[in-house]
Amino acid sequence: MKLSFTSFIGIIAVTPTASAFTLTMGTGNSFGRVFRISTWGESHGGGVGVQLDGCPPRIPITRDEIQVDLDRRRPGQSRITTPRNEADAVEILSGLNPEDITLGTPIAMLVRNKDQRSGDYLENDMNVAYRPSHADATYDAKYGVRAIAGGGRSSARETIGRVAAGAVARKILKMYNGIEVLAYVSKVQDIACENVDDDTFTMEDVDANIVRCPDPESAERMLERIDEIRKTGNSIGGVVTCVARNVPAGLGAPVFDKLEADLAKACMSIPAAKGFESGDGFAGTLLSGKDHNDEFYIDQETGATRTKTNRSGGIQGGISNGENIVVHVAFKPTSTIAKAQSTVTRDGQEVELRGKGRHDPCVLPRAVPMVEAMVALTLVDALMCQQAQCELFPNEASQDERPNPMGTTAKREGGPKKNDLAAAGGGPIGLRVDEE
């Protein structure tokens, strides 16, 4: 069978009436619609990186700003992370001028691998045996070949590109509306943090301890549990909570492109992520509609429409409502452990395997900047889609004909509107509903 050159370089889409083809980077390596990233590289290859396309021009961003987030993600930070010693120093190859201003062209960023030890994988049973619950077996089943050393693309090292691009997204969000995206470890196994105010906690609070939990007392109990598990050669999982503040109302779209659906895909693409909740999530199923609904009110200072509670997590109908966006991401225990486990070899023989090499006993502290990055990337993409569709032309209707401004940063010109209904002494408004 003779294959054309195009069959090797992309995905060919052929219709019965046309011979045109569509060229893409490949399956599963890109994320975003307008603000789009494509990551590349393996854990033990020459390096890993990202190409960021669709970044607006004239955004000031320095290498040091990007490095801050990469330093929070890097290995070797503490005794509860992998001891692999990587500086993760980013190199910006394109997309900025000498004054560190974005050009609107693709931004390429590279981090070179320096401390890979492939012998930890290639010179023992891990060369032929699959690690239970790891991507080893499924990658082999899909491709018929795999990068054994370091897990290849399934390694958390792939997230370097996401975090680097996420730092750019973080800068854009801050410039646009003072939007902050902050995450923290909210649960380690059954130990949940307490006394964290989603409106006020800071990155400094999160980074004040190696667990990355802004509640010091809970962080101490979490650390004790992680150490207890780590010393036995085992691993442990938990939950990362992410809060996005000052997000304007209107981001997201109905049906298939709901903001929470996009956030779920973004966060579930992170290695070891196994669960996602928006707002109250599964806990909301225990409440009645009256208890779960976020009742509206008018802020008497800004005149904006607000909600008394935030069980929706800042998203209603798949569209942001201007309150804090709150999501929770569950991470499983690291699959590579130093305890003996039953498994099979590539050629189908049953064996016992004990993991070797350097691995995180708990992924949560390093997952914090990963979750922040994916949420930031999703929000910038949603923001640019909103600008393109709904704000291309200004709404020139009078203030009384437009919906009342909505959210924490919204303001009504002239302050709150006079409540004519209350002045007339009216009771509750009747609403006839006929929905499927």
Side-chain angles (χ1 to χ4, degrees):
M1 180 175 66
K2 185 176 180 181
L3 296 177
S4 66
F5 176 69
T6 53
S7 65
F8 292 99
I9 62 173
I11 299 173
I12 303 176
V14 181
T15 67
T17 57
S19 59
F21 68 91
T22 300
L23 181 65
T24 70
M25 179 167 176
T27 56
N29 299 304
S30 301
F31 177 82
R33 290 159 294 192
V34 182
F35 193 81
R36 187 169 177 82
I37 66 167
S38 296
T39 69
W40 46 267
E42 288 81 37
S43 176
H44 284 212
V48 291
V50 64
Q51 176 173 299
L52 168 60
D53 206 356
C55 181
R58 303 181 303 280
I59 303 294
I61 185 77
T62 66
R63 177 196 173 280
D64 290 342
E65 289 176 284
I66 297 169
Q67 193 63 50
V68 168
D69 281 356
L70 288 174
D71 287 345
R72 297 177 71 227
R73 194 225 69 93
R74 67 180 291 270
Q77 297 180 35
S78 70
R79 68 178 185 271
I80 61 173
T81 64
T82 172
R84 180 169 170 172
N85 185 21
E86 296 279 4
D88 286 354
V90 65
E91 301 173 32
I92 303 175
L93 306 180
S94 67
L96 272 65
N97 69 10
E99 288 73 41
D100 293 325
I101 305 296
T102 61
L103 299 170
T105 54
I107 300 173
M109 292 178 278
L110 161 69
V111 169
R112 300 181 190 276
N113 296 327
K114 301 287 187 181
D115 188 36
Q116 61 268 52
R117 297 180 186 173
S118 299
D120 290 345
Y121 297 81
L122 302 178
E123 297 169 4
N124 56 62
D125 292 340
M126 291 171 67
N127 186 22
V128 294
Y130 299 133
R131 286 169 285 179
S133 288
H134 196 276
D136 291 342
T138 51
Y139 266 57
D140 215 358
K142 178 177 179 63
Y143 297 108
V145 63
R146 66 186 175 98
I148 297 171
R153 294 274 297 159
S154 68
S155 166
R157 193 143 186 83
E158 176 273 331
T159 63
I160 283 177
R162 310 171 188 229
V163 173
V168 180
R170 188 193 294 274
K171 183 66 176 286
I172 294 171
L173 294 172
K174 189 73 173 178
M175 290 176 62
Y176 179 79
N177 201 49
I179 299 170
E180 294 181 295
V181 178
L182 296 173
Y184 62 94
V185 175
S186 56
K187 196 171 186 180
V188 172
Q189 247 179 12
D190 60 338
I191 303 173
C193 72
E194 304 167 356
N195 305 317
V196 177
D197 187 340
D198 286 345
D199 291 327
T200 60
F201 80 91
T202 66
M203 186 179 291
E204 289 73 23
D205 294 333
V206 173
D207 290 346
N209 56 73
I210 60 176
V211 180
R212 289 212 165 99
C213 173
D215 175 19
E217 293 183 5
S218 298
E220 191 170 331
R221 296 197 304 273
M222 292 175 179
L223 181 57
E224 290 176 358
R225 178 68 61 82
I226 296 171
D227 275 336
E228 176 187 340
I229 297 292
R230 175 180 63 87
K231 291 174 182 178
T232 68
N234 215 335
S235 61
I236 191 171
V239 178
V240 170
T241 293
C242 188
V243 181
R245 304 176 187 144
N246 303 328
V247 177
L251 304 191
V255 192
F256 300 115
D257 290 332
K258 292 182 176 181
L259 184 57
E260 59 217 321
D262 287 345
L263 287 168
K265 179 175 182 177
C267 292
M268 289 295 289
S269 73
I270 300 171
K274 280 295 184 181
F276 178 88
E277 290 184 335
S278 173
D280 275 4
F282 291 107
T285 64
L286 305 177
L287 303 176
S288 67
K290 174 65 174 175
D291 293 329
H292 187 268
N293 289 344
D294 296 318
E295 294 185 352
F296 292 112
Y297 74 100
I298 298 299
D299 189 310
Q300 292 306 302
E301 291 187 10
T302 65
T305 299
R306 298 287 309 279
T307 62
K308 295 179 179 179
T309 53
N310 191 27
R311 298 186 184 94
S312 302
I315 304 172
Q316 295 171 333
I319 299 170
S320 63
N321 66 3
E323 302 295 329
N324 287 347
I325 291 177
V326 183
V327 300
H328 312 278
V329 188
F331 289 88
K332 71 182 182 72
T334 317
S335 54
T336 306
I337 58 176
K339 287 184 171 294
Q341 302 179 88
S342 297
T343 187
V344 298
T345 61
R346 193 173 193 268
D347 60 356
Q349 300 182 60
E350 294 183 344
V351 295
E352 189 174 77
L353 177 69
R354 190 186 303 271
K356 299 179 181 180
R358 299 167 295 176
H359 304 278
D360 294 272
C362 178
V363 301
L364 297 171
R366 295 177 61 216
V368 165
M370 300 177 196
V371 172
E372 290 176 350
M374 293 311 297
V375 169
L377 290 167
T378 304
L379 291 179
V380 171
D381 193 49
L383 178 62
M384 295 179 72
C385 288
Q386 170 70 6
Q387 291 279 321
Q389 182 191 19
C390 298
E391 298 176 24
L392 183 62
F393 302 103
N395 186 346
E396 297 179 347
S398 68
Q399 180 169 270
D400 288 340
E401 293 176 324
R402 297 196 300 265
N404 195 55
M406 189 176 193
T408 59
T409 62
K411 291 184 180 180
R412 180 184 176 89
E413 185 178 343
K417 183 179 181 180
K418 182 180 178 181
N419 193 338
D420 297 328
L421 293 175
I429 299 174
L431 179 65
R432 184 181 297 276
V433 178
D434 183 17
E435 293 180 334
E436 182 181 3

